[in-house]
Amino acid sequence: MKKVLLLIFSILIVALFSLDPKLYSLSIKAEDEDFENNYDYYCELCTTKTNLTDEEKDICIRFKEYEQRRQQQLKELLDEAKGNLEEMKANILQEGQKIEMYNQQIDQINKQIESIKSSILKIEENITALNVQIEERQIKIDELNTSIKDRMVANQSNVVTNSYIKFIMGANTFIDLLRRISAVSEITNYDLDKIDQMQQEKVLLENDLQQLQIQKDNLADQQTQLQNSKAGLESLKSITEQLIEEYQKKEAEFLDQMNKLQKDYSELEKRIDQINKAINSLYASKGFGQFFRNTSFWVSTGCYFYAGGGFHGAIDLAVNIGTNVYAVANGVVIDVGKGCAYNGGYIGNTCNWGRGNYVFYVALIEDEYYFIQCDHLKDVNVSIGDVVYQGTSIIATTGNSGSSTGPHLHLAITYLGNTSNTTIDQILKNFQRYDNTFGLPYLISSACYVKNSAPCFENPMEIYGYYYPNSYWVGY
């Protein structure tokens, strides 16, 4: 456990150094500081301007060297981070296996507890039945006692005396005397035998009752022990889940930094003009449309916060693998990711930088631009430059690819500004420059309700009126 926490700490240190250029610029030469503070200026100077002066050419040579050094340093950080990530992933997988083992043991204990509960109920039913029989025996014993007394009194009253001796001695003849003695004796012996028999039955029933009570007490003790074992397992499971959750809180942030060195936007570069024309000619949608049709799903992770803490700038929608994903608005695809196992998701999977198979598109709603991100997909049905239409274009199907704990759609919506203050050129430039983050740190400060200006992370839950962890149905 401690080893995994140390690994998490080391990963965060690496992530922090890759998160902010100013942190790793400490190793950049002093004369390069101007490049760092005026990066956009020198980037435009050395990539778009023609007829450079000799001085400007010299600056651009140094700027290129600066870029190469910076990329090399970042690559070294990335290589180190990859090694740490692989080690962390192995530990996380091991912790995940522990959770599975705990779940199996808890399920087994639950079955044993249910079996014991069932046995206790049967014993309680038998105890109740025995108590009824004991009460019935006692009633009969009491009735016999009363009957004997009544007959004795009746026999005495026949001779108008209060004494059995007077009753017997009152016989007229010897034969009558014998008859009277015999009658009294037979009545008494018969009833006494019946009473004794029922008393014995009552004792046996009480013994059975005592044994059942002992069995019930033993089962109750066993049930308590099982419940204590279950509580211990659930505590271990909770600790393990907290460890994995702590990793999840930092995972997206860290993988975004890895993306900065690995993503190749050459295909996007080739099609920028086409994308520009397509977006500029888009017919704006009236509002956000649904991403599913005729489908049930539930909100497995809400926007802005993971259940256990940490920032989550999206909404996770748990749904069956292979569910069609529709474009939520008219837009143009600016990036796709393929090639990941559609049901091979696990925490720490770095396929396509953890996103798995994905689709990114810029949408136009009313007069405002939005960046729509769909991750962890199965099939991707579109390509860069494709125009998609709200509610009719099936852009992908849902999956469990990349760094994912189960089948779901990761839907993120970034507000980019309106048509009066934002251009497509600027959107695409920022998309490349900041590697699809548009310069937003993965923190709550980037949420639209906090930042209140473009770019910022919108909350899909507010847009669609969903709540965590509720289930929903979307029709046609």
Side-chain angles (χ1 to χ4, degrees), residues 325-327 382 387-396:
V325 179
Y326 290 83
V382 292
V387 178
V388 295
Y389 298 97
Q390 183 185 73
T392 58
S393 296
I394 300 175
I395 61 173

Side-chain angles (χ1 to χ4, degrees), residues 312-474:
H312 183 237
I315 183 175
D316 287 346
L317 308 165
V319 69
N320 292 333
I321 290 178
T323 302
N324 287 336
V325 179
Y326 290 83
V328 300
N330 298 339
V332 177
V333 178
I334 62 172
D335 196 14
V336 297
K338 303 179 182 180
C340 301
Y342 74 85
N343 194 19
Y346 57 84
I347 295 299
N349 185 327
T350 58
C351 186
N352 287 337
W353 314 280
R355 298 187 184 93
N357 304 317
Y358 67 86
V359 174
F360 296 163
Y361 58 102
V362 173
L364 180 61
I365 299 177
E366 302 293 349
D367 62 344
E368 294 179 318
Y369 294 114
Y370 294 88
F371 172 66
I372 313 297
Q373 176 177 342
C374 301
D375 292 348
H376 309 302
L377 304 171
K378 177 187 176 186
D379 302 307
V380 173
N381 301 332
V382 292
S383 302
I384 294 176
D386 286 355
V387 178
V388 295
Y389 298 97
Q390 183 185 73
T392 58
S393 296
I394 300 175
I395 61 173
T397 57
T398 55
N400 177 30
S401 58
S403 186
S404 167
T405 56
H408 74 286
L409 171 65
H410 173 97
L411 178 69
I413 301 175
T414 305
Y415 174 60
L416 301 177
N418 57 51
T419 54
S420 64
N421 60 22
T422 308
T423 65
I424 301 306
D425 283 337
Q426 183 180 351
I427 288 174
L428 295 177
K429 187 182 199 180
N430 288 336
F431 178 78
Q432 290 177 276
R433 169 72 176 88
Y434 297 107
D435 202 61
N436 83 54
T437 67
F438 297 96
L440 291 173
Y442 208 66
L443 301 168
I444 191 62
S445 57
S446 298
C448 288
Y449 85 93
V450 176
K451 192 168 183 278
N452 201 28
S453 63
C456 60
F457 293 121
E458 289 281 6
N459 186 345
M461 297 171 69
E462 292 181 355
I463 291 173
Y464 290 97
Y466 295 147
Y467 296 92
Y468 168 82
N470 293 356
S471 298
Y472 297 92
W473 167 266
V474 175

Side-chain angles (χ1 to χ4, degrees), residues 108-143:
Q108 185 177 2
I109 287 176
N110 280 333
K111 291 177 182 178
Q112 293 174 339
I113 290 174
E114 289 304 315
S115 176
I116 287 175
K117 285 181 179 178
S118 177
S119 298
I120 289 175
L121 286 175
K122 289 180 181 178
I123 288 176
E124 287 177 343
E125 290 174 0
N126 291 335
I127 288 174
T128 300
L130 281 173
N131 280 322
V132 170
Q133 292 179 44
I134 290 171
E135 289 177 1
E136 290 174 351
R137 290 291 181 276
Q138 187 61 51
I139 289 172
K140 288 184 178 180
I141 290 170
D142 293 342
E143 288 175 349

Side-chain angles (χ1 to χ4, degrees), residues 121-359:
L121 286 175
K122 289 180 181 178
I123 288 176
E124 287 177 343
E125 290 174 0
N126 291 335
I127 288 174
T128 300
L130 281 173
N131 280 322
V132 170
Q133 292 179 44
I134 290 171
E135 289 177 1
E136 290 174 351
R137 290 291 181 276
Q138 187 61 51
I139 289 172
K140 288 184 178 180
I141 290 170
D142 293 342
E143 288 175 349
L144 273 174
N145 279 328
T146 302
S147 175
I148 289 172
K149 292 176 182 178
D150 290 344
R151 282 200 297 274
M152 291 298 183
V153 171
N155 286 334
Q156 292 181 58
S157 62
N158 286 336
V159 293
V160 195
T161 180
N162 293 325
S163 168
Y164 284 110
I165 295 175
K166 290 182 178 180
F167 167 68
I168 293 171
M169 297 305 295
N172 295 323
T173 64
F174 181 73
I175 294 176
D176 186 28
L177 173 65
L178 292 177
R179 284 176 180 172
R180 292 191 180 199
I181 292 172
S182 175
V184 171
S185 177
E186 286 178 4
I187 292 171
T188 303
N189 289 337
Y190 173 79
D191 288 335
L192 289 177
D193 287 343
K194 290 294 291 182
I195 290 173
D196 184 59
Q197 181 181 350
M198 282 188 286
Q199 285 284 12
Q200 291 177 9
E201 289 179 6
K202 181 182 175 185
V203 170
L204 291 174
L205 288 172
E206 287 174 341
N207 289 337
D208 289 344
L209 179 64
Q210 186 178 8
Q211 289 298 318
L212 285 176
Q213 189 62 49
I214 291 172
Q215 291 178 16
K216 178 183 175 183
D217 292 341
N218 289 338
L219 285 173
D221 290 341
Q222 188 177 351
Q223 181 181 8
T224 300
Q225 291 174 3
L226 286 171
Q227 287 172 336
N228 290 337
S229 298
K230 176 183 175 182
L233 287 170
E234 288 178 339
S235 178
L236 289 173
K237 176 183 173 184
S238 176
I239 292 171
T240 306
E241 286 175 340
Q242 287 173 20
L243 175 65
I244 293 178
E245 200 169 78
E246 185 66 27
Y247 169 73
Q248 284 178 314
K249 286 188 270 184
K250 301 298 180 182
E251 178 197 14
E253 180 180 334
F254 173 69
L255 291 175
D256 278 345
Q257 305 315 309
M258 293 176 64
N259 188 12
K260 289 184 180 299
L261 292 177
Q262 295 185 354
K263 183 61 182 173
D264 179 9
Y265 287 111
S266 57
E267 185 179 356
L268 177 62
E269 289 283 359
K270 296 175 185 176
R271 308 189 71 173
I272 279 181
D273 289 341
Q274 177 187 350
I275 293 171
N276 253 315
K277 292 176 183 177
I279 293 180
N280 283 317
S281 62
L282 272 181
Y283 180 77
S285 300
K286 295 295 183 184
F288 284 92
Q290 287 292 348
F291 32 81
F292 298 143
R293 281 191 170 186
N294 198 31
T295 300
S296 61
F297 62 92
W298 68 282
V299 180
S300 57
T301 305
C303 186
Y304 294 153
F305 298 99
Y306 283 105
F311 183 71
H312 183 237
I315 183 175
D316 287 346
L317 308 165
V319 69
N320 292 333
I321 290 178
T323 302
N324 287 336
V325 179
Y326 290 83
V328 300
N330 298 339
V332 177
V333 178
I334 62 172
D335 196 14
V336 297
K338 303 179 182 180
C340 301
Y342 74 85
N343 194 19
Y346 57 84
I347 295 299
N349 185 327
T350 58
C351 186
N352 287 337
W353 314 280
R355 298 187 184 93
N357 304 317
Y358 67 86
V359 174

